[in-house]
Amino acid sequence: MSSAAMKLAVVAALISAAAVGARACLDVGFYDTTCPTAETLIQQVVAAAFRNDSGVAPAMIRMHFHDCFVRGCDGSVLIDTVPGSTTRAEKDAAPNNPSLRFFDVIDRAKSAVEAACPGVVSCADVVAFMARDGVVLSGGLGYQVPAGRRDGRTSLEDDALNFLPPPTSTAADLVANFTAKNLTAEDMVVLSGAHTIGVSHCDSFTNRIYNFPNTTDGIDPSLSKAYAFLLKGICPPNSNQTFPTTTTFMDILTPTKFDNRYYVGLTNNLGLFQSDAALLTDAALKATVNSFVRSEATFRLKFARAMIKMGQIGVLSGTQGEIRLNCRVVNPVNVTATAADDHHLTSSSSSSSDEVAAS
Ligand code: HEM
């Protein structure tokens, strides 16, 4: 290697080291000594649930996204609203309820690791592993999940409303939303490719098929007419009230296969949400879409990388947060340890849980 090339290589190594250093301090194999069976136990639970209902895969991928975009990947999406509290938790916010599903499968995975190694594996990591397992079970590329996330103690409906992008988002909205989380426009396009599997409720897209503004037929012009008529059959007018649980696949070409057909559908006006169609409204985003239409291998690889990146958003590590024992409830407060910081809390677990929704 010439000395110039050598210098370049050293600089590149330093840049990548700096980039890694700037990221959260998570490690692949984090549980190798403390809970060596964790990833296997979790994978077994996801695989068993998947055999029963393949919808568990998209559900876990979306769960991880909705966890990471709200207060970082800290398992806050899993916390239940405290009974009697006036403040609701994230999972009860409109973008999450009723569409997030299979919380019971997460409980099962957490119970399995708690039985093997009590108090070691965080709920945030359980979700990150389950999302990866969902990608693999659906045919996507596997990747090693850096772990060591700690669980947060706060979950607020308003945070979910403020940070999760709605399906009516424009291209500019989406880029801004993802940039705020240190993800690039390309990351946004590749992560949207998760819509290659899974389902949507009618109310996420009926604005595009009934009374769409400035049209004669009420249909969003960026949506295929044939697809719009199909969707009208599935979601009649006012179906939000009459059929609130009706769902439809998002990628009608290959609805349960983790492939690049979502992008092929997009370029044929088969994107289900305005936010999907928006990816064609900007030249740079569209170029990325087209690159994934051309190469499924590129999509699969970049999706895996982007999931690892998304999984680093705002994580708690070291001694921050806690390892929640039950993913739905924050741990009871240890009065002695936390009295100085949390003087307004009392010792019972219910009052600490109250703090979750109210803080
Ligand atoms: C770019 C902005 C995004 C918007 C506006 C968006 C919006 C939505 C909406 C409205 C649904 C349907 C919810 C329902 O009505 O049931 C959905 C489903 C889904 N989303 Fe996204 N999403 C976005 C990005 C992502 C990302 C980054 C991921 C993961 C990496 C993701 C994964 C999924 C999955 C897998 C489903 C299906 C869930 C299931 O079947 O249970 N989405 N998304």
Side-chain angles (χ1 to χ4, degrees):
M1 192 187 279
S2 74
S3 82
M6 180 79 85
K7 268 185 203 157
L8 263 180
V10 171
V11 171
L14 286 175
I15 291 171
S16 65
V20 170
R23 288 199 188 153
C25 33
L26 301 178
D27 293 311
V28 168
F30 182 81
Y31 297 110
D32 279 357
T33 51
T34 54
C35 193
T37 53
E39 292 193 46
T40 308
L41 290 170
I42 292 167
Q43 197 277 342
Q44 284 169 349
V45 172
V46 184
F50 182 85
R51 280 194 291 277
N52 192 39
D53 184 340
S54 65
V56 76
M60 293 306 113
I61 297 167
R62 186 166 185 244
M63 191 74 76
H64 189 40
F65 165 46
H66 282 210
D67 186 26
C68 293
F69 267 56
V70 183
R71 308 188 76 91
C73 317
D74 68 342
S76 54
V77 70
L78 306 176
I79 297 175
D80 283 348
T81 296
V82 176
S85 169
T86 49
T87 315
R88 297 197 297 182
E90 283 171 35
K91 63 161 56 158
D92 288 325
N96 289 334
N97 187 3
S99 54
L100 285 186
R101 51 188 182 138
F102 294 117
F103 287 100
D104 57 319
V105 181
I106 297 173
D107 292 338
R108 284 209 288 284
K110 172 67 170 171
S111 297
V113 288
E114 280 303 304
C117 359
V120 170
V121 184
S122 68
C123 295
D125 278 345
V126 169
V127 173
F129 291 134
M130 293 178 87
R132 182 271 314 275
D133 296 339
V135 171
V136 175
L137 284 163
S138 309
L141 190 65
Y143 53 92
Q144 292 190 303
V145 178
R149 296 167 190 80
R150 308 264 300 174
D151 295 323
R153 293 179 51 83
T154 303
S155 180
L156 298 168
E157 174 182 30
D158 281 353
D159 286 339
L161 294 169
N162 289 334
F163 294 109
L164 295 172
T168 48
S169 301
T170 63
D173 295 336
L174 293 172
V175 172
N177 183 285
F178 277 63
T179 307
K181 302 291 175 193
N182 283 329
L183 295 173
T184 64
E186 185 185 88
D187 293 331
M188 186 274 291
V189 175
V190 73
L191 288 170
S192 295
H195 291 176
T196 181
I197 53 174
V199 299
S200 169
H201 290 72
C202 296
D203 65 357
S204 297
F205 58 83
T206 39
N207 67 315
R208 301 186 76 196
I209 54 176
Y210 299 111
N211 306 317
F212 194 79
N214 307 321
T215 57
T216 48
D217 59 3
I219 297 172
D220 182 342
S222 65
L223 186 66
S224 143
K225 295 282 178 249
Y227 189 31
F229 285 115
L230 180 78
L231 292 172
K232 283 182 182 213
I234 298 166
C235 302
N238 300 322
S239 53
N240 302 349
Q241 280 87 48
T242 42
F243 302 104
T245 57
T246 297
T247 57
T248 185
F249 284 120
M250 295 189 296
D251 169 6
I252 54 163
L253 301 177
T254 49
T256 59
K257 199 161 169 271
F258 203 98
D259 57 14
N260 67 344
R261 292 309 155 104
Y262 161 78
Y263 298 101
V264 174
L266 271 191
T267 56
N268 288 285
N269 294 338
L270 297 174
L272 188 55
F273 308 131
Q274 279 170 280
S275 56
D276 295 318
L279 304 185
L280 301 178
T281 62
D282 168 280
L285 303 183
K286 190 174 177 181
T288 306
V289 167
N290 286 332
S291 73
F292 297 148
V293 169
R294 283 194 301 273
S295 170
E296 180 164 285
T298 306
F299 164 61
R300 285 159 55 86
L301 182 65
K302 291 196 169 176
F303 184 84
R305 284 192 191 140
M307 284 294 277
I308 294 171
K309 200 169 159 190
M310 185 179 83
Q312 318 244 352
I313 297 173
V315 298
L316 304 172
S317 59
T319 55
Q320 297 170 312
E322 63 186 17
I323 303 298
R324 218 179 291 142
L325 302 177
N326 171 351
C327 293
R328 295 172 180 268
V329 188
V330 297
N331 292 345
V333 173
N334 174 337
V335 190
T336 327
T338 60
D341 298 330
D342 295 332
H343 60 276
H344 53 294
L345 294 178
T346 57
S347 61
S348 78
S349 67
S350 65
S351 65
S352 67
S353 305
D354 231 347
E355 174 70 3
V356 167
S359 61

